[in-house]
Amino acid sequence: MKKFLNSVDTVLTESLDGFVAAHADILALGDEHKFVRRKVLKPGKVALISGGGSGHEPLHGGLVGYGMLDAACPGQVFTSPTPDQMMAAVEAVNTGAGCLFIVKNYEGDVMNFEMAAEMSEGVMQIVTNDDVAVENSSYTTGRRGVAGTLVVEKIVGAAAEQGMALKELKALGERVNGETRSMGVALTSCTVPAAGKPTFDIGDGEMEFGVGIHGEPGRRRDTLKSADTIAEEICLAILGDLGDRAKGPALLFVNGFGGTPLMELYLMYNSARTIFEKHGVTVTRSLVGSYVTSLDMAGCSITLTMLDEATTALWDAPVHTAALRWGM
């Protein structure tokens, strides 16, 4: 294993120190590295809080800032943050309008965020579950929450910035989650620093189809196919799951897992866009890049979110975070 490390035990805290220092104009670090928060809070706005295991950067800390999250709680690599982290974040960023937790559907995350919500005042939560690859996995009951979580955080974050109330934000987030589907494919494993070796073994001519963002198994192990063939299977699975809703305007998000060059991600975007538009989807908004990663894994996911005028306007609304910046 070759990684830039001083110590496995300090990699997260040292990374958080560097991250917040690099974006000190917009971010602040909570006590004991429990959370990252917006440097300047907006009084009277519902606070959005997310988080999860580290190793998926820039999710979630990179999405803290104007127009998105107010705080993010980082766990150790691929390990849920603890309830006291979420409770500390609530205390730090709740300006009086309540808090909304946005939680990926992994058992540890769901359990710990629920515990924090029960012990806090004025907190509701959304659970994202956009992955169509498998119904259950080693980490979940039901579908996994993956790259579509970013879409929920962006659209709900814009609505919160505009003053939408807590209950309405929860309903909006659940609606966006319901209009979002994703699936991924891995070409290599990832290597967790504490383990020091790849999470799973995969041959040079193989791919893991439907892989999760922690390297958990997908639908099947298969021989490596062409980009068009891979994109077609993913896109048809997404379209089949959306059913009659898969018509009209949509956001197409091609996400890298950390070890895939942009050249290849744009190639996959080109394939996916062609397939979706042949089936009646009009791609009106796009995002391409490595935003919901799995450390150093080579691979990508494809996410489709069906849009209407309201959600399009919220996607377009100004955002200023470490990872996403436009309209400011």
Side-chain angles (χ1 to χ4, degrees), residues 61-86:
L63 305 178
V64 173
Y66 182 91
M68 290 194 76
L69 300 176
D70 293 271
C73 302
Q76 292 296 321
V77 173
F78 296 173
T79 303
S80 174
T82 57
D84 69 295
Q85 290 181 251
M86 283 74 97

Side-chain angles (χ1 to χ4, degrees), residues 3 55-57 77-78 190-193 257-259 293-297:
K3 291 185 179 294
H56 305 305
E57 290 78 16
V77 173
F78 296 173
C190 56
T191 301
V192 175
F257 285 151
T293 64
S294 184
L295 294 169
D296 53 348
M297 181 185 287

Side-chain angles (χ1 to χ4, degrees), residues 2 28 53 72 80 85 94 99 137 195-196 220 263 265 268 272 311:
K2 292 183 180 179
S80 174
Q85 290 181 251
N94 186 354
C99 297
S137 77
R220 67 180 187 278
M263 181 176 69
L265 297 180
M268 289 296 291
T311 51

Side-chain angles (χ1 to χ4, degrees), residues 120-323:
S120 304
E121 293 290 333
V123 175
M124 293 185 175
Q125 72 176 27
I126 301 165
V127 176
T128 61
N129 60 351
D130 51 301
D131 190 358
V132 304
V134 291
E135 194 63 35
N136 296 290
S137 77
S138 54
Y139 286 74
T140 66
T141 299
R143 292 180 170 181
R144 304 175 290 211
V146 288
T149 308
L150 176 149
V151 181
V152 173
E153 291 176 351
K154 172 62 183 80
I155 291 175
V156 174
E161 207 71 56
Q162 294 172 11
M164 186 177 283
L166 180 57
K167 288 184 179 179
E168 286 70 28
L169 287 170
K170 175 178 168 64
L172 172 63
E174 289 172 344
R175 181 165 72 86
V176 174
N177 178 66
E179 297 289 340
T180 301
R181 299 290 188 275
S182 303
M183 186 186 288
V185 60
L187 306 184
T188 70
S189 176
C190 56
T191 301
V192 175
K197 61 181 181 180
T199 301
F200 59 89
D201 294 321
I202 186 168
D204 289 342
E206 294 181 320
M207 61 180 180
E208 183 71 27
F209 199 83
V211 71
I213 58 173
H214 306 96
E216 65 269 39
R219 288 189 169 188
R220 67 180 187 278
R221 181 70 54 89
D222 204 347
T223 55
L224 185 62
K225 304 291 198 303
S226 69
D228 284 344
T229 301
I230 295 168
E232 182 173 29
E233 183 168 349
I234 292 175
C235 293
L236 291 180
I238 289 170
L239 291 169
D241 204 84
L242 283 168
D244 293 341
R245 287 174 292 176
K247 300 291 181 185
L251 162 70
L252 173 56
F253 172 23
V254 174
N255 170 67
F257 285 151
T260 304
L262 268 172
M263 181 176 69
E264 295 175 35
L265 297 180
Y266 279 113
L267 186 154
M268 289 296 291
Y269 171 87
N270 185 58
S271 296
R273 181 172 185 140
T274 300
I275 294 161
F276 281 135
E277 295 201 330
K278 283 181 179 177
H279 287 82
V281 173
T282 303
V283 176
T284 56
R285 297 294 183 272
S286 304
L287 184 66
V288 180
S290 295
Y291 294 99
V292 183
T293 64
S294 184
L295 294 169
D296 53 348
M297 181 185 287
C300 76
S301 61
I302 296 173
T303 297
L304 190 73
T305 299
M306 305 313 299
L307 298 173
D308 56 26
E309 287 187 10
T311 51
T312 299
L314 291 168
W315 178 261
D316 289 345
V319 60
H320 189 85
T321 70

